[in-house]
Amino acid sequence: MTEETAKSKLYREILKKYWGYDDFRGIQQLIVESIGKGKDTLGLMPTGGGKSITFQVPALAMEGVCLVITPLIALMKDQVANLKKKGIKAAAIYTGLTHNEVITTLDNAVFGGVKLLYVSPERLTSEIFLNKLRHINISFITIDEAHCISQWGYDFRPAYLKIAKIRQLLPGKAVLALTATATPRVVEDIQQQLAFVDGNVFKMSFERKNLAYVVRYCENKTEEMVHILKCTKGCAIVYVRNRKHTAEIAKMLNEEGISATFYHAGLENSTKDERQDNWQKDKVRVMVATNAFGMGIDKPDVRVVIHIDCPDCIEAYFQEAGRAGRDGKRAYAVLISSKTDGAALKAHVRNSFPEKDYIRKVYDALAYYYQIAVGSGYMKGFEFHMERFCRTYHFYPTQVNAALNLLTKAGYIEYREKEEHIDRLRFTLERHELYLIERGTPNEEKVMVQLLRLYGGLFIDYEIISPSLLAERTGMSIEDIYNTLKKLTERKVLHFIPGRSVPHLRYTQRREESRFLVFPPSIYEERKKEAMERAEAMINYFNNKEKCRSQLLLSYFGETDAKNCGCCDTCCQRRKEELQRVCSEIIAMLDDGRAHDIDELLDIQASQEEIKEAVRMLTASEKIYCHEGKVMSARR
């Protein structure tokens, strides 16, 4: 047995032992074998294509720790929990863990107690992490959502650019980059940004044969949404653009007798976890959400995804729509469009790239707001309250948000709009006083015991705690953990401060005079042009009434030989028109008043299947009838 054959056998044995599958599917095996040979590898796989298998299997087959870089904290937690259930040593480092928990996790990785270590790209700047990383035996590096490293990608994140530097710390270690959305240009850029030794791309078709893409044109979008949900069965997601609409639409759906809840980034962690859990367990049917919902959520039986507001680009739409039908059964991705959507998309692009003088005004206003003098402020961080800032300086939030993002891309500040919640807690009683208080409920007792075991400094000062870790250790739900901590606060045993979703801003350079700020074409003119082209592609998608929608989407991602799907609204309309033509020709043929052999119908320019379908339709409507191999007009 050759070494290559032995490795392939080992990969299959691991796949069978831990996941129960006899063989890989699609391009999984090619990717696994490529990274197993130590080659830099880029895998392009659609949502639900089984990306995690491609790095988890070789991670178990190789010596050392697989470093997994992903921006999705929910995905980290979910995958680590699932791997642990299988008996696989996995861990994650994310915001909310205490300093001791981070050090313990890294030490476990150093001493071989971890096979897969998940971290966010922001963690790559931590000195503690980098110092420990030098002592960890890394097998290879996996980068999920790899399109985020490309400035030509729809979700570019500057933190991803630091990944290339990690390669310098880990010479000779191969990189596996994975994404479900990348145009040909982004595919090239990913490999360049990650310093691939050789081009090495494995691409699985993004075609989803079970997913019907549909565009509905109307002016009353909510009425159409209700109609669609009442005409379909099963679990659903409704995507909208802003947070306020999530609550309004969920309320309306419940009034219509359709059980729904809502989700956006501004909700408390406990609320998000509870609502996501209720939806995943089918306690509510519809999740109304902003694009903050869905990343890393693996619910296979979503039957319909509806977009009331049009996404900014094909990439975002394709990823969100792709959350439907991951079980392989028929599902629908419906975009509800109105005549104003095209203008709104173009306006959104313009608002995302305000004039450079406006950006300079925002930069100056920040300095006044935080009292930062020219030449100072380096590495100073602040909570950023958008509403208060805009009210003070008479700005509009949308444009300020865009200006802050551009200042971040230019390297002057670091603006985090979606800062992770951090929960803090300290005991208000002394340790010896805990034994004197009245005995609490069983849940309170369990939480108190775990707090004392997990955190050492709670009697001295506030410490960051992890409600999810407490839930894991106590066997309670996260909702029960929050409720119990609030009750203990009311009893004045401790003081619990639930995390708030507050954006943060940090100066990454000393404050400049705004007239010296530079916005190079690569982050302004070129990106604006790229964003407008993406918007035009999205507009072309929903305005199209002729071409197969699946074909349009696939061609955007470089699949130029895709066939008609046969199930999108344009394919169904073409099929309907074709059947009407065949029906008309059959009626015309039979207008001579005589009986014809059924075989004569084959002279009509159409497929046998279409002719049979037309005959069935005409017979059912009693326009023709068949008898002993003959077909006649019913008007005879």
Side-chain angles (χ1 to χ4, degrees), residues 250-312:
K251 182 175 182 289
M252 185 199 72
L253 288 175
N254 282 305
E255 289 170 352
E256 290 283 343
I258 300 169
S259 66
T261 188
F262 66 93
Y263 186 110
H264 57 70
L267 296 173
E268 294 283 351
N269 268 355
S270 57
T271 303
K272 287 195 285 189
D273 289 340
E274 179 189 5
R275 290 179 182 178
Q276 181 179 310
D277 189 59
N278 286 340
W279 177 76
Q280 287 192 297
K281 291 179 179 176
D282 296 319
K283 292 179 182 178
V284 292
R285 180 188 170 201
V286 181
M287 179 64 82
V288 185
T290 61
N291 61 7
F293 179 77
M295 297 292 274
I297 304 302
D298 187 14
K299 184 167 172 59
D301 60 343
V302 178
R303 297 271 65 85
V304 59
V305 170
I306 299 173
H307 281 81
I308 288 185
D309 296 322
C310 187
D312 300 337

Side-chain angles (χ1 to χ4, degrees), residues 127-173:
E127 283 300 320
I128 293 172
F129 176 77
L130 294 175
N131 288 334
K132 291 286 185 181
L133 185 62
R134 292 181 175 92
H135 302 287
I136 299 174
N137 177 23
I138 298 294
S139 53
F140 63 96
I141 306 165
T142 297
I143 299 148
D144 199 11
E145 307 299 329
H147 58 271
C148 294
I149 201 171
S150 173
Q151 65 174 339
W152 308 119
Y154 81 102
D155 194 21
F156 171 62
R157 303 192 185 195
Y160 264 69
L161 296 175
K162 297 176 175 65
I163 297 173
K165 294 181 180 178
I166 292 295
R167 298 206 69 178
Q168 296 171 14
L169 282 179
L170 303 169
K173 302 300 180 183

Side-chain angles (χ1 to χ4, degrees), residues 45-234:
M45 304 173 75
T47 302
K51 287 189 294 178
S52 58
I53 290 287
T54 63
F55 63 85
Q56 289 170 351
V57 168
L60 295 178
M62 298 165 70
E63 291 291 328
V65 181
C66 172
L67 180 64
V68 185
I69 301 168
T70 175
L72 311 174
I73 291 176
L75 178 64
M76 277 190 208
K77 294 177 180 178
D78 185 52
Q79 289 200 5
V80 168
N82 288 332
L83 289 168
K84 284 182 174 178
K85 286 177 186 175
K86 299 177 189 296
I88 296 169
K89 296 173 181 177
I93 298 175
Y94 48 86
T95 305
L97 296 181
T98 66
H99 176 78
N100 287 340
E101 287 170 334
V102 171
I103 294 298
T104 300
T105 301
L106 290 172
D107 284 341
N108 285 341
V110 170
F111 294 110
V114 175
K115 288 298 292 181
L116 292 110
L117 178 62
Y118 289 75
V119 300
S120 67
E122 289 76 17
R123 183 66 53 176
L124 305 181
T125 60
S126 163
E127 283 300 320
I128 293 172
F129 176 77
L130 294 175
N131 288 334
K132 291 286 185 181
L133 185 62
R134 292 181 175 92
H135 302 287
I136 299 174
N137 177 23
I138 298 294
S139 53
F140 63 96
I141 306 165
T142 297
I143 299 148
D144 199 11
E145 307 299 329
H147 58 271
C148 294
I149 201 171
S150 173
Q151 65 174 339
W152 308 119
Y154 81 102
D155 194 21
F156 171 62
R157 303 192 185 195
Y160 264 69
L161 296 175
K162 297 176 175 65
I163 297 173
K165 294 181 180 178
I166 292 295
R167 298 206 69 178
Q168 296 171 14
L169 282 179
L170 303 169
K173 302 300 180 183
V175 164
L176 170 58
L178 298 166
T179 181
T181 47
T183 61
R185 183 180 189 180
V186 172
V187 167
E188 290 300 317
D189 198 34
I190 289 171
Q191 295 175 87
Q192 184 177 340
Q193 294 292 343
L194 291 174
F196 270 38
V197 176
D198 295 301
N200 188 27
V201 181
F202 295 94
K203 183 173 182 180
M204 185 176 173
S205 173
F206 288 171
E207 184 180 13
R208 296 283 304 281
K209 293 182 179 179
N210 67 307
L211 185 56
Y213 297 100
V214 178
V215 175
R216 288 279 179 262
Y217 304 94
C218 66
E219 293 310 310
N220 191 330
K221 292 189 174 189
T222 53
E223 186 179 277
E224 181 66 17
M225 171 198 64
V226 171
H227 172 71
I228 293 166
L229 290 171
K230 286 186 174 180
C231 291
T232 55
K233 295 180 180 180

